Amino acid sequence: MSNDISPEDFLEIKERSPFKNLKIQDDTVLYQNTARLACPVCNKHVKHYCYNCFHVMGMDRSEVPFVKLPVTMDIIKHEAESDGKTTALHARVLADEDVRVFSWKHIPQYETPERVLMLFPGPDAKKLSEIPRDSFDHMIVIDGTWKQANKMVRGTPILQRMQKVTIEPRSTYFWRFQKISVNYLSTIEAIYYLYVEYSQAYELKDSEASYDGRYDNLLFYYKYLYDLIQYSYRKGQHKDKEFCWRHRSDYIQDKKPSGVIRDAAGKIINPEGKIKESQ
């Protein structure tokens, strides 16, 4: 078990998870997979899956969910977005028949971009419930910081010809800090909610029917990482350390604020008002 998590703590992790009521496949195998292994294709040492080749690592592919999507998707990734940190690749691994990944510089030249939905907010963006299903054949998601994503859309004529789609505002559980809003989601959260709303708009016959969890496994890796970070800073190897000082103070569940006072640049201010070196 990773990080020497006891069976009792493992049960606590699952019980405390905000994702516990979703229909996500059991992720015990991820906790058991502690080693970084060399990818048989590119030889990069990785854990869980290869960021370059998208091979599942350290376990059989059958131990990881396979998600079948109702409409194909491309992820257009900014080159500065780290392969090891982006959550977008979760979708590529889990829905490998329906998701492709391209860098911004190698974006496909779509023959009919007007029939592609691009998940991107704006005054001209519509919800899926407002878009006829027969008006699109494909979807794309932009992967990068908000600044990077804006630059990509503004600087790429073919993206500007696509239909823009947006999703309902939701709060993020993402561990990477961003200062814009709690409603700015990680890429995999945005992808997941896009398919949830797709199901609600087109797949559920009864307009009053509740979403049935058919795409919840898109959050398989995300749930694991969120739960592990929470445990690590609450009771695990980082319990005596401060989580990202820029993140909201209550991000780690039931952990008291550190009491550390910092200036705007993150430098620690001691009780006498003097600045110490940043940590």
Side-chain angles (χ1 to χ4, degrees):
M1 192 72 69
S2 63
N3 299 318
D4 298 321
I5 300 174
S6 70
E8 294 78 14
D9 284 342
F10 187 58
L11 290 174
E12 180 184 330
I13 289 172
K14 290 184 173 296
E15 182 59 32
R16 294 176 66 100
S17 176
F19 307 100
K20 67 179 181 179
N21 292 323
L22 299 185
K23 294 180 180 179
I24 299 176
Q25 183 173 310
D26 183 83
D27 59 1
T28 302
V29 67
L30 298 178
Y31 290 88
Q32 295 171 335
N33 181 37
T34 59
R36 290 184 176 272
L37 302 174
C39 173
V41 177
C42 68
N43 206 41
K44 185 178 181 67
H45 281 73
V46 291
K47 186 164 68 172
H48 302 319
Y49 62 86
C50 179
Y51 312 140
N52 295 329
C53 308
F54 313 115
H55 288 288
V56 172
M57 302 292 297
M59 64 200 74
D60 191 81
R61 178 63 182 85
S62 63
E63 297 180 275
V64 172
F66 169 75
V67 182
K68 184 63 182 172
L69 299 176
V71 59
T72 54
M73 172 176 285
D74 288 343
I75 296 167
I76 311 301
K77 181 176 169 294
H78 194 281
E79 284 77 4
E81 184 69 1
S82 169
D83 290 337
K85 293 182 178 180
T86 179
T87 63
L89 302 187
H90 299 180
R92 172 62 179 83
V93 176
L94 296 166
D96 53 295
E97 290 186 353
D98 300 312
V99 177
R100 303 183 300 176
V101 178
F102 298 94
S103 67
W104 179 29
K105 293 180 181 178
H106 296 92
I107 184 172
Q109 293 303 304
Y110 300 97
E111 291 185 5
T112 54
E114 296 82 5
R115 293 190 59 82
V116 177
L117 296 188
M118 176 175 63
L119 181 59
F120 199 79
D124 55 342
K126 298 179 180 179
K127 298 176 183 177
L128 284 170
S129 59
E130 302 170 319
I131 301 174
R133 177 60 188 90
D134 60 3
S135 70
F136 65 93
D137 308 306
H138 188 60
M139 299 195 293
I140 73 164
V141 168
I142 307 297
D143 184 39
T145 65
W146 182 236
K147 183 178 180 180
Q148 291 166 349
N150 266 313
K151 181 179 179 181
M152 292 165 71
V153 173
R154 289 198 310 268
T156 312
I158 198 168
L159 294 180
Q160 297 172 16
R161 294 171 59 189
M162 297 178 180
Q163 302 179 62
K164 289 183 182 177
V165 62
T166 188
I167 56 177
E168 293 287 348
R170 296 174 174 89
S171 295
T172 183
Y173 286 102
F174 202 20
W175 45 91
R176 287 176 66 183
F177 170 77
Q178 54 83 14
K179 60 184 178 181
I180 301 176
S181 168
V182 295
N183 298 128
Y184 279 73
L185 306 176
S186 66
T187 305
I188 192 60
E189 287 176 306
I191 291 172
Y192 166 67
Y193 287 120
L194 179 62
Y195 281 105
V196 169
E197 294 186 17
Y198 179 98
S199 179
Q200 294 168 330
Y202 309 119
E203 294 181 325
L204 300 178
K205 295 180 181 180
D206 185 348
S207 60
E208 299 298 320
S210 298
Y211 166 69
D212 58 8
R214 64 185 67 185
Y215 303 119
D216 289 2
N217 271 325
L218 285 170
L219 296 177
F220 178 72
Y221 290 114
Y222 190 78
K223 172 189 179 297
Y224 159 76
L225 291 169
Y226 172 87
D227 290 345
L228 187 61
I229 288 169
Q230 289 290 324
Y231 171 80
S232 179
Y233 280 90
R234 194 174 62 249
K235 296 181 67 175
Q237 62 180 339
H238 297 122
K239 65 181 179 181
D240 297 322
K241 294 184 179 180
E242 180 185 18
F243 189 65
C244 174
W245 64 269
R246 295 184 299 173
H247 218 298
R248 65 179 192 265
S249 60
D250 62 348
Y251 181 74
I252 301 300
Q253 302 171 13
D254 297 338
K255 185 168 184 176
K256 295 181 180 180
S258 66
V260 174
I261 301 175
R262 299 177 185 268
D263 67 7
K267 294 182 178 180
I268 296 176
I269 301 174
N270 64 23
E272 289 76 31
K274 296 181 180 180
I275 296 177
K276 298 181 181 180
E277 292 184 4
S278 60
Q279 296 179 347

